[in-house]
Amino acid sequence: MNMAFKKAFLLYIWIFLWASNTFAEGKILRFIYCSDLHYGLKREFRGHIATSAEVNRALLETFRLLETTRLPQDDGVLSGEVFGEADFIVCTGDIANRMEKGIQTASVSWEQFSTDWLEHIRVPFYLVPGNHDISNAIGYPKPLSPSQDATSATELYNLTMQPAHAKTCATFNYLTDKVHYCVEQEGIRFVFMGMWPDKNMRAWYEQVFAKDTLTPAFLFTHDPPNADTKHFTNPNGDHSINAEDKFENLLADTCSVHCITENATREWHALEEFIRRHPTIKAYFHGDKNYNEFYTWNGTKGSIALPVFRVDSPMKGELSAEDEHLLSFIVATVDTQAQQLTVRECLWNTEEKTGIAWGESRTIHY
């Protein structure tokens, strides 16, 4: 065996052993999840009335603090170890607050968000729109000022879908310009389904992924599984957005009930059936009604048991708006070999300064 061949052979053996060990061990994925930034609002924060920009910048400081912070000893993935740098960050919408009662325009909110977030985040950043972003673009049952500003909806679409020709506020059409995309990492499908998995989103998923019965999927969307009845398309009259009916036409499904105070049970059941047909869907992440909650959604007829992770808002949390010590976001770690996902509540303002305290934790096996 000559020397050149021997070196090549040894190199081949080293690469084979390295690759075998790498794939056997799998990989740990880390991500941060937040939602409902609501640029345009103000809140009581650290002893004064603060703007959304100030609060969101403080939130981002905590993200950076995680790079040197140990996770809690909770027997979850990476228990007791330093979190390090996230592989990606997810935000599920409501970048801009709805333009009611003197709230700034969506264009101003998007500019502030771009400065605070897009210019400083160093890792991949995945987004979907929220109901406030879309209502600013298409109108709302109550008066807005201006009546429409599609900036945040348009720029979210351009950023995530990257169309060949970027949309403008004048050319953006919410009926056709939908945010839905997938990112695959280490054998997991992270699926971003816009406002909610309505009939159009489900049809897209069926078309692209129906034949794959193996790859686990985590869904990210703005609305909870029991989406608010008023978010569906108005079933009355000319199906318009109007002050009498109060439907917001944010979701493609025409609502099966005619009053927003009734439950959209049929639409929720359609989602339940979709989840049941796709057992590879292992988890569901959402914002909208904002507080930390890790729960199981059984659907309307109890045919599924889907792990769901609800996240707080820095500006509009149902609990943290009244008590800033409860402000939180989600830190997630995934062991792709053991097929475990650990989701942790990260409390970031318990002492009214940048810091981290750990709250609830849940680990699922997928």
Side-chain angles (χ1 to χ4, degrees), residues 52-70:
S52 48
E54 179 183 349
V55 177
N56 275 285
R57 286 195 292 267
L59 172 63
L60 283 164
E61 286 180 22
T62 314
F63 290 3
R64 289 185 281 272
L65 195 62
L66 279 169
E67 295 177 10
T68 56
T69 297
R70 289 190 179 278

Side-chain angles (χ1 to χ4, degrees), residues 20 51 90 93 95 105-106 118 139 144 177 196 201 217 243 248 326 336 354:
S20 299
T51 65
V90 179
I95 304 304
T105 63
L118 300 183
L144 302 180
D177 299 331
W196 187 73
M201 293 295 172
E248 298 174 20
L326 298 177
T336 62
T354 300

Side-chain angles (χ1 to χ4, degrees), residues 124-326:
F125 189 22
Y126 304 125
L127 300 116
V128 298
N131 57 304
H132 287 240
D133 301 306
I134 302 305
S135 287
N136 284 337
I138 66 174
Y140 187 65
K142 295 180 181 179
L144 302 180
S145 181
S147 60
Q148 290 180 250
D149 181 347
T151 301
S152 60
T154 301
E155 295 306 328
L156 279 163
Y157 178 80
N158 287 335
L159 186 66
T160 56
M161 300 302 290
Q162 299 183 346
H165 302 285
K167 297 290 182 175
T168 66
C169 288
T171 61
F172 176 79
N173 181 357
Y174 182 57
L175 293 177
T176 55
D177 299 331
K178 302 289 188 178
V179 171
H180 51 69
Y181 60 103
C182 173
V183 177
E184 293 195 26
Q185 289 198 37
E186 302 299 324
I188 300 172
R189 180 174 293 134
F190 298 91
V191 185
F192 303 92
M193 299 185 77
M195 273 281 305
W196 187 73
D198 63 19
K199 65 179 183 180
N200 289 348
M201 293 295 172
R202 297 193 298 269
W204 164 75
Y205 190 98
E206 297 274 7
Q207 181 180 8
V208 178
F209 305 121
K211 294 181 180 180
D212 186 346
T213 59
L214 298 175
T215 307
F218 301 160
L219 304 189
F220 295 83
T221 187
H222 182 72
D223 274 3
N226 286 358
D228 201 321
T229 298
K230 66 185 178 183
H231 287 179
F232 291 95
T233 295
N234 185 1
N236 303 305
D238 62 359
H239 310 294
S240 65
I241 300 170
N242 63 77
E244 181 178 353
D245 297 322
K246 300 180 182 178
F247 283 92
E248 298 174 20
N249 290 11
L250 300 166
L251 305 176
D253 310 69
T254 299
C255 199
S256 58
V257 296
H258 292 263
C259 179
I260 65 168
T261 59
E262 299 178 42
N263 289 333
T265 305
R266 185 180 299 175
E267 288 67 44
W268 300 342
H269 181 63
L271 177 59
E272 177 185 3
E273 283 295 294
F274 170 75
I275 299 294
R276 188 185 61 78
R277 290 197 309 272
H278 296 282
T280 52
I281 296 174
K282 302 299 185 180
Y284 185 115
F285 293 78
H286 74 86
D288 187 49
K289 291 178 172 58
N290 305 109
Y291 51 92
N292 188 83
E293 184 183 16
F294 304 159
Y295 63 102
T296 299
W297 189 61
N298 298 119
T300 61
K301 298 189 177 180
S303 69
I304 60 171
L306 178 67
V308 180
F309 303 97
R310 181 198 309 269
V311 71
D312 188 31
S313 162
M315 297 302 297
K316 206 177 177 182
E318 289 197 12
L319 303 177
S320 60
E322 299 297 327
D323 182 356
E324 65 181 279
H325 305 100
L326 298 177

Side-chain angles (χ1 to χ4, degrees), residues 37-43 50-57 104 109 112 116 315:
L37 308 183
H38 286 283
Y39 275 83
L41 291 183
K42 295 181 180 180
R43 63 162 296 154
T51 65
S52 48
E54 179 183 349
V55 177
N56 275 285
R57 286 195 292 267
Q104 68 191 27
S109 292
Q112 292 175 344
D116 293 340
M315 297 302 297

